[in-house]
Amino acid sequence: MKRSLADQLFSRYIRVRAKYSCQRCGKQYAPDSSGLHCAHIFTRAKKTLRWDPSNALCLCYPCHRAADQ
């Protein structure tokens, strides 16, 4: 799924909200790091929840992979 400008801004908001740390393992990242992801609890394909902050977590790549499995 292609990421729009709104997706990019929302992802940045989620990372700022979490103070650039993984909300699962607690690892801290630099603001410009690509190691953190905006992870959606319910798929972002569901438009009504796509940009809902209560549907998103800030997770590092390993935690995001673990959560998806």
Side-chain angles (χ1 to χ4, degrees), residues 31-47:
D32 59 349
S33 172
S34 62
L36 282 177
H37 298 183
C38 174
H40 289 80
I41 299 163
F42 297 102
T43 178
R44 65 187 179 112
K46 195 169 191 74
K47 295 288 184 178

Side-chain angles (χ1 to χ4, degrees), residues 15-29:
R15 288 180 278 133
V16 167
R17 181 182 74 176
K19 299 180 175 113
Y20 298 100
S21 62
C22 177
Q23 291 181 272
R24 184 169 180 254
C25 72
K27 185 173 178 183
Q28 188 77 34
Y29 286 81

